[in-house]
């Protein structure tokens, strides 16, 4: 039974679908993939997964979303689950927000839309390695 | 010829001279006409009396005596008339208008005197010639005497009153002279003509006409010396020369000053005596120029100069003046002196420099204004660019998002295709016909599934399906449920079972997953492409119309939608968008400029509520007013009345420095005015703001 999960958060479904296709292609059944369209939904999923005994290894989050922004969301997650690797995927860079997330949520990578497959793969692989290394 | 005749003729000559003098006075006034009449009357009288004295016979003398009567009869009323005219302004106009009545008694007296004598009825021959013998106590004699006294007395009374009331020294002096001379002349005449004979002294020649000369002389002095009846040219000229602001300097042929007006002493600080007969070197540092002109003027009297030349004061201060010099000639055309007129140029120069200063200031102001205009235009442009800049950043994100999706989906598809092509024949080889049919059915569902589910819905469906599969005792239910939901299959049916429990089920579903990835990838690309297209379309619409200056028939809703599309990304972050559109017809407008209006209003609205709240955009038709109303409302922080007053002022902004130029609403207002529309604003602090724009439909 797979008990490692990757969570993707973005308000755009097309991004989530793209991520799903890419992640499944590269990592197949190594992880459970969950997708949320907002930070609120993501928090629910995190709670559900944690309850179900599933370990979240990595979160890929958009920055500019309705309601809670990516930086705030990742910082919140970091306070509860500091071990989770955080990756930001954004189409509009707000340098302050990225800096804040780096400092306060130990941001692992920040990817810019449109991202390349290799960038994403590298971010996830290095992220997972970080966990394994610990 | 008798001596008395000669004296009398001389008197006649003087009277005639005075009459001519009076006639030549210009302008001819009523007053000098009366004076001339008096002189002529006296001349006639003197002439007749002159002939009377030396007449050869008594009858001839008597004839001359009668002929003299118009002279002495008209004298007193003429004096009264003269006084009335002189004091005209200060006597009642009634009296003045009826002044011809005073001549009636005189005419009666003349008639009597001509006929049979009035003051005398016969002549006696004395040593000096013929002398009238007074009629003594005759009625005519006393009547004439009364008339004589009344006329002269009234005249003196009038003059006296006139002088008393006058504030002018000249008039007082004139009155005094006239009164004195009249009294002396007429009283002596009366004494000589009437009183002495009555007292019995008949041997003295009766020459009242000569004695009246004193009176005529008095009038003449008053007239000529004190400018009685008019201002003489000499007086006027002197007065003008004295009072003009220019400096008048008369120079003799040697260049010596022979006369100056008071202004010269005043300005150059020399006394009149100082200047007199001193040379021009005293008053200028550049005498050569003047002397040069003097020489030239002397040779050519029509030569005049107008030049700027500084004059020198006693304290050696140079005063800039404009000098004109002209030669003055006597009646033979010889130059006798020069008139040098100098005008103090300091006020003119001050004025000129002031004018120059003003012109310069005006030019500066114009320049500043032009610069301000350019700055304002630049600011207006930069405001547009700032709004556009924000938009572009948002739009970049908007485009980058689908681009990212397309990019990654393309990669996924590219890899899935060869796998699928490889896997399908292999999978098919393992399946029975029924199983193949089920496989194809599943693909069919996947290909035709159009429903777009949210992630939450998908998760719920997956959960249900997982439970169903678990109920059917299928292993790895979650994984299969995931695959099935992605294919668009949400419910478990028994027909699936053979595939789910097939020995090669893992590979079969791998193939199915690959194909569903393909389908989803393609659909994802389609969706992303649509998004990009929509944005590009909006961008194109935002500024697609040329600036031909012609209005275009355009549906305002289309413009609003364009702007909302461009702002979609910013709106969706926490703003609820309400559209309240009436079905409206297109109106003639400048669509690009209206887009700028909507952009400003939407931008302000979002800013006012910090991207959280409700944005209401509406279009209403107001057929009664022939207008279309477009409104943009927010639920932001609103404005105070004070702020509301100023929002349309250029450069007014509530945003932080650098965030807004303060020209947004100024531009909005100008665009609306260009459309002959109007803009209204409703705002309440804490509740929000609504802008309403009314555009004429026709």
């Amino acid at each position: 039974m797979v008990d490692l999960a990757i969570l993707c958060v973005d308000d755009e479904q097309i991004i989530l679908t793209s991520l799903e296709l890419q992640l499944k292609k590269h990592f197949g059944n190594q992880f459970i993939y969950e997708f949320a369209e907002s930070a609120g939904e993501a928090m629910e999923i995190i709670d559900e997964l944690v309850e179900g005994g599933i370990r979240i290894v990595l979160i890929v989050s958009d920055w500019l979303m309705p309601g809670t922004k990516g930086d705030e969301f990742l910082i919140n997650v970091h306070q509860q689950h500091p071990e989770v690797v955080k990756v930001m995927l954004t189409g509009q860079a707000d340098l302050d927000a990225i800096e804040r997330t780096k400092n306060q949520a130990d941001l692992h990578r920040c990817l810019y839309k449109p991202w390349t497959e290799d960038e994403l793969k590298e971010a996830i692989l290095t992220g997972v390695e970080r966990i394994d290394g610990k | 010829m008798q001596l008395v005749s000669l004296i009398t003729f001389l008197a006649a000559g003087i009277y005639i001279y005075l009459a001519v003098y009076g006639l030549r006075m210009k302008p001819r006034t009523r007053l000098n006409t009366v004076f001339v009449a008096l002189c002529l009357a006296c001349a006639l009288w003197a002439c007749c009396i002159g002939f009377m004295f030396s007449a050869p016979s008594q009858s001839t003398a008597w004839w001359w005596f009668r002929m003299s009567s118009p002279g002495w009869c008209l004298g007193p009323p003429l004096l009264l008339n003269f006084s009335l005219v002189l004091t005209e302004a200060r006597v009642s106009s009634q009296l003045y208008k009826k002044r011809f009545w005073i001549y009636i008694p005189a005419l009666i007296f003349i008639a009597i005197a001509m006929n049979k004598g009035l003051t005398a009825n016969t002549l006696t021959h004395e040593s000096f010639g013929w002398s009238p013998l007074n009629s003594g106590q005759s009625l005519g004699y006393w009547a004439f005497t009364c008339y004589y006294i009344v006329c002269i007395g009234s005249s003196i009374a009038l003059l006296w009153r006139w002088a008393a009331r006058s504030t002018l020294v000249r008039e007082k002096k004139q009155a005094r002279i006239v009164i004195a001379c009249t009294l002396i002349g007429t009283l002596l005449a009366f004494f000589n003509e009437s009183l002495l004979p009555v007292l019995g002294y008949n041997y003295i020649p009766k020459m009242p006409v000569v004695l009246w000369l004193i009176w005529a002389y008095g009038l003449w002095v008053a007239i000529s010396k004190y400018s009685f009846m008019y201002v003489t040219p000499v007086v006027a000229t002197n007065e003008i020369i004295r009072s003009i602001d220019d400096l008048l300097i008369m120079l003799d042929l040697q260049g010596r000053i022979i006369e100056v007006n008071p202004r010269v002493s005043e300005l150059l600080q020399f006394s009149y005596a100082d200047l007199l007969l001193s040379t021009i070197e005293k008053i200028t540092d550049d005498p050569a120029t003047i002397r040069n002109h003097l020489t030239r003027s002397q040779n050519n009297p029509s030569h005049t100069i107008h030049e700027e030349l500084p004059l020198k004061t006693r304290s050696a201060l140079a005063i800039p003046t404009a000098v004109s010099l002209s030669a003055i000639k006597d009646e033979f055309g010889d130059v006798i002196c020069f008139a040098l007129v100098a005008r103090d140029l300091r006020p003119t120069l001050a004025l000129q420099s002031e004018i120059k200063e003003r012109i310069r200031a005006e030019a500066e102001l114009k320049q500043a204004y032009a610069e301000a205009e350019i700055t304002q235009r630049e600011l207006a442009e930069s405001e547009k660019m700032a709004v556009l800049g924000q938009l572009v950043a948002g739009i970049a994100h908007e485009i980058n998002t689908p681009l990212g999706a397309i990019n990654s989906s393309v990669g996924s598809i590219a890899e899935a295709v060869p796998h699928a092509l490889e896997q399908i024949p292999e999978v098919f080889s393992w399946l029975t016909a029924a199983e193949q049919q089920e496989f194809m059915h599943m693909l069919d569902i996947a290909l035709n599934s159009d429903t777009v589910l949210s992630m939450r819905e998908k998760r719920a469906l997956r959960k249900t399906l997982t439970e169903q599969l678990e109920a059917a005792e299928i292993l790895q239910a979650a994984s299969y449920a995931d695959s099935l939901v992605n294919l668009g299959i949400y419910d478990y049916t028994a027909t699936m079972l053979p595939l789910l429990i097939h020995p090669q089920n893992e590979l079969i579903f791998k193939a199915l997953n690959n194909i569903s990835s393909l389908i989803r990838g393609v659909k994802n690309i389609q969706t992303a492409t649509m998004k990009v297209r929509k944005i590009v379309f909006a961008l194109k619409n935002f500024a697609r119309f040329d600036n031909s200056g012609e209005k275009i028939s355009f549906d305002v809703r289309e413009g609003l939608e364009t702007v909302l599309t461009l702002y979609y990304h910013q709106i969706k972050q926490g703003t609820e968008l309400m559209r309240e559109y009436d079905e409206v017809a297109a109106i003639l407008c400048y669509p690009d400029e209206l887009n700028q209006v909507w952009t400003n209003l939407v931008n302000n609205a979002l800013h006012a509520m910090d991207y959280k709240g409700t944005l209401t955009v509406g279009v209403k038709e107001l057929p009664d007013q022939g207008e279309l109303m477009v409104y943009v409302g927010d639920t932001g922080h609103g404005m105070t009345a004070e702020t509301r007053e100023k929002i349309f002022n250029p450069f007014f902004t509530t945003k932080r420095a650098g965030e807004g130029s303060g020209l947004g609403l100024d531009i909005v207002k100008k665009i609306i005015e260009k459309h002959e529309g109007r803009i209204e604003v409703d705002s309440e602090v804490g509740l929000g703001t609504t802008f309403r724009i009314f555009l004429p439909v026709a």
Side-chain angles (χ1 to χ4, degrees):
Chain A
M1 178 72 186
V2 182
D3 59 356
L4 300 175
I6 290 177
L7 172 62
C8 299
V9 189
D10 199 308
D11 60 318
E12 289 285 345
Q13 269 208 37
I14 50 168
I15 295 296
L16 295 177
T17 307
S18 305
L19 288 172
E20 184 187 346
L21 295 177
Q22 274 184 333
L23 292 173
K24 280 185 175 163
K25 192 177 80 190
H26 287 292
F27 304 105
N29 289 333
Q30 288 179 48
F31 304 103
I32 293 169
Y33 308 102
E34 286 293 350
F35 303 92
E37 286 178 58
S38 72
E41 197 181 337
M43 291 310 271
E44 284 172 31
I45 294 170
I46 291 170
D47 289 346
E48 248 174 66
L49 290 174
V50 170
E51 236 172 76
I54 289 163
R55 188 175 158 211
I56 302 160
V57 285
L58 195 135
I59 295 176
V60 179
S61 174
D62 185 19
W63 175 65
L64 198 61
M65 293 182 288
T68 314
K69 298 270 183 293
D71 55 330
E72 203 185 328
F73 163 66
L74 290 180
I75 290 166
N76 284 346
V77 171
H78 188 71
Q79 280 163 2
Q80 293 169 31
H81 310 283
E83 74 286 354
V84 177
V85 175
K86 288 106 186 160
V87 173
M88 190 118 91
L89 178 64
T90 179
Q92 194 184 7
D94 183 309
L95 293 176
D96 286 348
I98 294 165
E99 200 55 38
R100 199 161 47 239
T101 322
K102 269 186 184 159
N103 294 336
Q104 297 178 33
D106 190 23
L107 186 68
H108 175 57
R109 286 284 188 281
C110 182
L111 305 179
Y112 298 96
K113 294 172 186 172
W115 72 98
T116 67
E117 220 169 317
D118 292 340
E119 278 172 354
L120 181 71
K121 218 157 72 183
E122 189 270 347
I124 290 171
L125 286 174
T126 52
V128 173
E129 266 169 32
R130 239 169 77 161
I131 289 184
D132 291 347
K134 272 180 190 168
Chain B
M1 178 72 71
Q2 310 288 339
L3 179 66
V4 285
S5 288
L6 281 176
I7 295 171
T8 313
F9 282 129
L10 187 66
I14 294 171
Y15 283 124
I16 287 166
Y17 168 76
L18 288 176
V20 171
Y21 176 84
L23 270 177
R24 287 179 61 180
M25 279 191 296
K26 294 281 179 333
R28 179 143 343 136
T29 61
R30 265 200 302 271
L31 199 62
N32 53 30
T33 309
V34 177
F35 177 71
V36 168
L38 177 67
C39 290
L40 287 176
C42 290
L44 172 76
W45 179 19
C47 214
C48 294
I49 294 298
F51 281 118
M52 180 202 78
F53 278 131
S54 47
S57 65
Q58 195 195 23
S59 61
T60 318
W62 181 241
W63 187 83
W64 281 115
F65 180 68
R66 282 185 296 149
M67 284 303 113
S68 76
S69 61
W72 46 267
C73 282
L74 285 171
L78 278 169
L79 174 69
L80 185 55
N81 193 356
F82 182 91
S83 305
L84 279 169
V85 173
L86 180 65
T87 60
E88 177 186 341
R90 295 178 202 138
V91 298
S92 82
S93 57
Q94 283 293 319
L95 189 60
Y96 175 74
K97 275 180 192 156
K98 290 176 180 163
R99 71 192 189 282
F100 66 93
W101 285 106
I102 61 177
Y103 290 100
I104 302 296
L107 294 174
I108 295 166
F109 290 132
I110 291 168
I112 298 168
M114 293 279 262
N115 204 15
K116 59 183 186 81
L118 182 68
T119 54
N121 37 34
T122 185
L123 300 172
T124 57
H125 197 263
E126 304 288 340
S127 57
F128 52 82
W130 293 100
S131 172
L133 194 65
N134 259 49
S135 55
Q137 288 80 18
S138 83
L139 185 67
Y141 171 84
W142 288 115
F144 179 72
T145 304
C146 286
Y147 178 61
Y148 185 93
I149 291 169
V150 165
C151 280
I152 288 168
S154 323
S155 295
I156 288 168
L158 275 172
L159 286 168
W160 192 275
R161 206 172 66 138
W162 176 64
R165 293 192 179 180
S166 171
T167 53
L168 302 176
V169 178
R170 179 177 60 91
E171 287 186 353
K172 284 182 192 294
K173 280 189 175 170
Q174 285 168 346
R176 221 174 293 148
I177 289 167
V178 173
I179 289 167
C181 293
T182 306
L183 275 175
I184 294 166
T186 53
L187 281 179
L188 279 179
F190 180 66
F191 192 69
N192 171 262
E193 154 89 20
S194 305
L195 218 54
L196 282 182
V198 169
L199 295 174
Y201 297 96
N202 261 336
Y203 48 85
I204 295 169
K206 292 174 185 161
M207 296 200 288
V209 67
V210 178
L211 294 167
W212 271 24
L213 268 177
I214 298 170
W215 169 33
Y217 170 77
L219 291 184
W220 178 76
V221 168
I223 288 164
S224 59
K225 186 162 179 201
Y226 295 103
S227 321
F228 205 177
M229 296 169 211
Y230 72 110
V231 178
T232 67
V234 175
V235 169
T237 310
N238 282 336
E239 204 47 48
I240 291 165
I241 289 169
R242 274 175 52 79
S243 58
I244 52 166
D245 213 31
D246 288 350
L247 287 71
L248 184 77
I249 301 163
M250 305 287 276
L251 301 171
D252 68 6
L253 300 179
Q254 285 75 46
R256 284 179 308 188
I257 296 165
I258 50 171
E259 181 64 288
V260 294
N261 68 348
R263 187 84 180 109
V264 177
S265 324
E266 194 184 307
L267 197 72
L268 302 183
Q269 299 158 2
F270 288 109
S271 71
Y272 180 70
D274 260 357
L275 288 169
L276 220 57
L277 292 179
S278 57
T279 56
I280 47 162
E281 277 79 1
K282 190 162 197 157
I283 55 163
T284 177
D285 279 332
D286 185 13
T289 308
I290 292 179
R291 286 198 180 279
N292 179 24
H293 284 295
L294 289 182
T295 319
R296 287 177 62 183
S297 291
Q298 224 163 335
N299 300 333
N300 173 16
S302 61
H303 173 80
T304 55
I305 64 152
H306 300 279
E307 217 168 274
E308 281 184 26
L309 190 85
L311 290 184
K312 193 171 60 170
T313 68
R314 195 160 71 167
S315 47
L317 179 78
I319 293 174
T321 58
V323 167
S324 60
L325 181 76
S326 43
I328 293 176
K329 292 161 279 181
D330 63 10
E331 60 236 77
F332 307 107
D334 293 331
V335 176
I336 47 168
C337 67
F338 300 97
L340 190 144
V341 179
R343 165 164 296 173
D344 185 356
L345 279 182
R346 285 174 306 177
T348 317
L349 291 176
L351 209 63
Q352 274 173 351
S353 75
E354 193 182 330
I355 290 168
K356 257 186 218 158
E357 178 60 28
R358 284 196 186 179
I359 289 171
R360 198 184 56 77
E362 198 181 334
E364 261 177 28
L365 206 66
K366 265 188 193 159
Q367 168 122 19
Y369 184 72
E371 274 167 16
E373 219 172 11
I374 290 170
T375 313
Q376 183 157 359
R377 231 184 5 247
E378 280 170 355
L379 275 168
E381 199 57 34
S382 86
E383 165 72 24
K384 208 162 132 187
M385 293 312 290
V387 172
L388 213 64
Q390 283 176 17
L391 261 179
V392 165
I395 290 161
H397 182 273
E398 280 297 88
I399 292 178
N400 280 340
T401 296
L403 269 186
I406 292 167
N407 198 38
S408 87
S409 299
V410 166
S412 305
I413 292 167
E415 224 167 289
V417 169
H419 284 298
L421 286 178
E422 236 174 75
Q423 287 160 348
I424 290 168
E426 200 184 355
V427 167
F428 262 63
S429 68
W430 300 325
L431 300 180
T432 63
E435 285 163 350
Q436 284 179 6
Q437 205 180 342
E438 179 58 25
F439 187 91
M440 291 311 289
H441 174 65
M442 283 181 175
L443 287 185
D444 210 37
I445 292 173
L447 280 168
N448 292 315
S449 149
D450 274 337
T451 26
V452 179
L453 296 173
S454 73
M455 288 299 165
R456 194 185 290 278
E457 285 168 327
K458 248 172 146 175
R459 232 176 8 258
L461 288 170
R462 211 162 58 201
K463 209 174 162 190
T464 323
L465 194 53
T466 309
E467 280 161 11
Q468 286 175 3
L469 291 177
E470 275 170 352
E473 292 174 354
I474 288 159
L475 295 173
Q476 294 188 7
S479 172
Y480 287 120
D482 187 43
S483 301
L484 287 170
V485 168
N486 281 337
L487 282 166
I489 300 162
Y490 310 130
D491 285 304
Y492 169 71
T493 51
T495 49
M496 296 173 192
L497 194 62
L499 291 179
L500 287 166
I501 57 166
H502 196 277
Q504 299 289 349
N505 59 357
E506 218 169 294
L507 288 172
I508 291 167
F509 271 86
K510 217 172 187 172
L512 274 172
N513 281 344
N514 257 327
I515 294 165
S516 89
S517 290
L518 269 177
I519 294 165
R520 288 174 67 208
V522 168
K523 282 191 177 158
N524 208 31
I525 290 170
Q526 278 175 339
T527 314
T529 314
M530 281 305 293
K531 277 179 190 281
V532 175
R533 263 184 63 185
K534 200 175 161 193
I535 295 159
V536 171
F537 183 71
L539 275 176
K540 241 170 70 189
N541 275 356
F542 189 70
R544 69 172 166 177
F545 304 100
D546 62 353
N547 285 331
S548 63
E550 299 275 320
K551 280 186 179 173
I552 294 168
S553 180
F554 187 71
D555 188 340
V556 291
R557 290 175 299 176
E558 208 180 300
L560 282 168
E561 276 309 302
T562 296
V563 172
L564 290 174
T565 305
L566 295 180
Y567 272 94
Y568 167 70
H569 165 74
Q570 290 174 42
I571 291 167
K572 74 170 183 194
Q573 288 175 39
T575 310
E576 197 188 339
L577 175 62
M578 306 272 286
R579 289 182 174 88
E580 297 171 356
Y581 293 161
D582 268 5
E583 270 308 312
V584 293
I587 59 164
L588 279 177
C589 61
Y590 305 101
D592 275 6
E593 296 188 11
L594 284 187
N595 281 351
Q596 211 182 329
V597 171
W598 315 142
T599 307
N600 261 298
L601 295 183
V602 168
N603 194 33
N604 284 348
L606 290 174
H607 200 270
M609 52 189 179
D610 205 16
Y611 303 93
K612 289 177 190 71
T614 307
L615 174 70
T616 312
V617 177
V619 181
K620 285 241 165 330
E621 186 133 41
L622 306 170
D624 292 349
Q625 291 162 244
E627 282 176 325
L628 201 70
M629 180 176 78
V630 180
Y631 53 96
V632 177
D634 64 60
T635 54
H637 47 62
M639 289 181 279
T640 61
E642 204 184 327
T643 307
R644 206 166 51 220
E645 298 247 307
K646 288 187 259 180
I647 51 171
F648 294 110
N649 294 353
F651 307 114
F652 177 79
T653 179
T654 56
K655 293 174 189 165
R656 279 196 306 257
E659 280 191 356
S661 66
L663 285 175
L665 284 174
D666 177 49
I667 294 165
V668 163
K669 198 172 167 222
K670 287 199 174 110
I671 293 172
I672 300 303
E673 279 166 3
K674 192 172 166 186
H675 283 84
E676 288 162 10
R678 61 207 157 84
I679 182 164
E680 287 176 2
V681 58
D682 256 0
S683 186
E684 212 161 308
V685 174
L687 289 180
T689 304
T690 300
F691 281 93
R692 271 188 291 274
I693 282 156
F694 300 86
L695 296 170
V697 171

